[in-house]
Structures are given as structure tokens and as C-alpha cells.
Amino acid sequence: MICDLHTHTTYCDGANTPKEMLLSAIEKGLKTYGFSSHSYLSFDSSWNMNENEQKKYIAEILSLRDKYKDQIDVLLGTEYDLLSEIDLTPFDYVIGSCHGFFKDGNYISVDHSQKVFEEVLERFYGGDAYAFASDYFEKMTTASDKKEITFFGHFDLINKFNRDFRFFDENNIRYKNPMLCALEKLAKTEKPFELNTSHTFRQNEKEASVSARCWLSALCEMGGKIIINSDAHSTDRIGYNFENAKAFAKDCGFKTVLALTGNGFCEIKL
């Protein structure tokens, strides 16, 4: 385990303070640790940082970086939502993610809760989950226009609540086609994609989702690169399931994964 760059703290929707998260990362033996609290959304602010909180967040992370520089490399990042409008220049890296989008003037959350997902599905799509997924992937493609993005986060987040294919079949062409079209467009940027262990292994820590196997195998064929992250919201989730993730990446055809350090990306053989 070299690095973990997708993590959250009490500055957004995480359970632990930055210091608690960093000390846990040191204890786990990480060489590089990245903080990536959610960027501000004025219309859905309960889980992200406002401008004042972001200033405090940046100051605290930089202070921790200096204090623990002899034990671990600390990177200042943010998980940038594609509907956010913040200045990204202060950050060492930026995760490009889609947590929702606007439809008919209404903000639709993709990952708020299963109840909200079901309500959105019925109200805006008449129960057609494939149309919902298609709109999500169309929004995800807009990440290709944001040059500040370092890598793409949890690419297939739309299936977060699709346990046991509750809402749609991830093998269905109506799901796979929009997903693979978005993948191809984003892959042309030559930016890495995240293998998000919390999402990929959402049902079983030893078995990845059908959707993840599909897009990761396709990305490998396109010559794309991946970086493994946990999306940890608490200290116990840092580095979650990395060993199974590496085995899964290898099974999808990847021979290397990326790690991000203060000197940029480096490749690690599987």
C-alpha cells in the first residue's frame, strides 16, 4: 500500500478529523496520503465545504504536511463535483466526480440514499433506471472539459444502490452503451481513472461489481491507467481492500497501477 488519495474528514461528510486520519495512515504504513474533502455546492451544501471552511481546511492540511513531513508525504486535494464552481488552483490534485446533475431545473442526487434514488427514478424517469443511468454518464463526460482534474473518481457511481440488480441489469446494453461511450470520451484525455474500493466492492469485499469489471476491462483495452483509492470516510477505511483491488485490476488486464507522489504519478507493477 503506497498511497490513498480519496479520503474525507469532518470538514465534509467524514467521521474523523484530518489529524486522526493522517495518524491512521502513518500507522498503516502509507508513503503518501491525500486529503480530498468535497468541493462546495451552494444548492446542496450539507456534505461539502463552504468558502470559509475550505480556507480552514487548506490551512490545517498544510500545517499537518509540515508537522509530519518526516513520516509521510501529505497532498492537499479536493473531490471536485462537476457542478461546483470553486477555484482549484490551491490544490495539489483534483478528483473529478459526479454526485448529481440538473434535470428540468431540478437537482438530482445520484448517491444521497436509496430512498432518494427511488423517488428520483419514479418522479423524473417513470421507473426507467436505464434512462437515469444514461443521463448520469452524459454528465460524467463533461469532466473531459475540466483541465484541472487530475483523475476521475468512482466512474460508475450510478449503480451505488443497485444491489443484486435491484433497479437495472448491469449487463444490459442500455446500461453498457452509455457507460462505454462516456468511458471512451474520458479516456481520450489520457487522465487516470480511479478504482474506488468502497464502491467497486460495495456488495462483497472479494467480488467486484459487474459494472466495474466491464468498464475496467474496456479501459485496459484502450490503454488507460488506473489509481486505487479507498474513498475512506473514517480511519478504519483507509486503504480498504487494496489487495483484492490489485488482484481484480490484474484480472481485468492491468499490469501496473499508478500512485501519486509529490513528484507526480509513478507506475507500480502488479
Side-chain angles (χ1 to χ4, degrees), residues 111-123:
D111 71 335
H112 183 277
S113 67
Q114 182 174 312
K115 181 181 178 181
V116 170
F117 188 94
E118 291 174 338
E119 291 172 350
V120 167
L121 188 58
E122 291 303 319
R123 179 182 175 188

Side-chain angles (χ1 to χ4, degrees), residues 1-8 21 25 30-37 57 72-79 92-95 150-151 153 192 194-196 226-232 237-239 242 258-262 264-266:
M1 190 160 58
I2 303 298
C3 70
D4 196 349
L5 302 177
H6 191 156
T7 68
H8 298 282
M21 294 293 279
L30 268 70
K31 297 182 182 300
T32 302
Y33 185 78
F35 291 93
S36 59
S37 285
Y57 165 74
I72 193 170
D73 289 331
V74 173
L75 296 179
L76 169 65
T78 187
E79 184 174 10
D92 297 323
Y93 68 96
V94 175
I95 305 173
T150 310
F151 59 87
E194 170 188 83
L195 196 174
N196 184 305
I226 58 170
I227 184 167
I228 298 175
N229 291 314
S230 69
D231 202 351
R237 300 291 285 187
I238 295 171
F242 273 29
L258 296 179
L260 183 62
T261 71
F265 283 114
C266 65

Side-chain angles (χ1 to χ4, degrees), residues 194-209:
E194 170 188 83
L195 196 174
N196 184 305
T197 58
S198 291
H199 178 66
T200 300
F201 300 94
R202 67 186 187 279
Q203 295 189 41
N204 185 322
E205 68 176 17
K206 294 185 178 180
E207 185 176 347
S209 70

Side-chain angles (χ1 to χ4, degrees), residues 99-255:
H99 298 93
F101 52 88
F102 281 97
K103 184 175 179 64
D104 301 330
N106 297 280
Y107 175 66
I108 293 176
S109 175
V110 171
D111 71 335
H112 183 277
S113 67
Q114 182 174 312
K115 181 181 178 181
V116 170
F117 188 94
E118 291 174 338
E119 291 172 350
V120 167
L121 188 58
E122 291 303 319
R123 179 182 175 188
F124 295 100
Y125 294 96
D128 187 352
Y130 297 107
F132 189 6
S134 181
D135 281 354
Y136 164 79
F137 284 117
E138 182 178 353
K139 180 60 182 179
M140 192 66 204
T141 62
T142 64
S144 64
D145 301 324
K146 196 70 177 179
K147 60 179 175 45
E148 293 92 344
I149 289 175
T150 310
F151 59 87
F152 306 117
H154 42 54
F155 171 67
D156 58 348
L157 185 63
I158 188 66
N159 66 16
K160 179 176 180 178
F161 303 111
N162 197 41
R163 182 179 294 273
D164 300 321
F165 294 174
R166 181 190 301 269
F167 298 108
F168 54 89
D169 183 352
E170 294 171 19
N171 287 304
N172 191 295
I173 195 169
R174 288 190 63 205
Y175 175 77
K176 291 170 67 174
N177 276 0
M179 178 177 70
L180 294 176
C181 284
L183 182 76
E184 184 175 9
K185 182 173 181 180
L186 293 177
K188 289 179 179 178
T189 66
E190 299 185 349
K191 294 178 181 179
F193 285 70
E194 170 188 83
L195 196 174
N196 184 305
T197 58
S198 291
H199 178 66
T200 300
F201 300 94
R202 67 186 187 279
Q203 295 189 41
N204 185 322
E205 68 176 17
K206 294 185 178 180
E207 185 176 347
S209 70
V210 170
S211 175
R213 183 173 293 278
C214 177
W215 74 260
L216 277 163
S217 297
L219 179 65
C220 185
E221 291 181 3
M222 295 175 190
K225 303 292 185 181
I226 58 170
I227 184 167
I228 298 175
N229 291 314
S230 69
D231 202 351
H233 283 66
S234 56
T235 55
D236 61 303
R237 300 291 285 187
I238 295 171
Y240 167 71
N241 215 17
F242 273 29
E243 289 305 311
N244 283 331
K246 288 188 287 185
F248 175 58
K250 190 173 181 179
D251 194 41
C252 288
F254 290 93
K255 296 182 179 180

Side-chain angles (χ1 to χ4, degrees), residues 15-84:
N16 292 98
T17 66
K19 183 177 180 180
E20 289 170 340
M21 294 293 279
L22 184 59
L23 290 178
S24 180
I26 293 171
E27 184 180 355
K28 291 174 186 289
L30 268 70
K31 297 182 182 300
T32 302
Y33 185 78
F35 291 93
S36 59
S37 285
H38 290 289
S39 62
Y40 180 57
L41 291 176
S42 60
F43 47 84
D44 188 13
S45 60
S46 62
W47 48 276
N48 48 64
M49 301 181 291
N50 62 34
E51 184 177 4
N52 186 50
E53 290 167 336
Q54 180 178 291
K55 289 179 181 178
K56 294 179 180 178
Y57 165 74
I58 292 173
E60 182 168 356
I61 303 312
L62 293 180
S63 176
L64 288 170
R65 170 192 284 176
D66 183 63
K67 182 175 181 179
Y68 293 97
K69 62 184 178 182
D70 294 332
Q71 299 180 59
I72 193 170
D73 289 331
V74 173
L75 296 179
L76 169 65
T78 187
E79 184 174 10
Y80 170 78
D81 188 276
L82 299 181
L83 293 175
S84 183

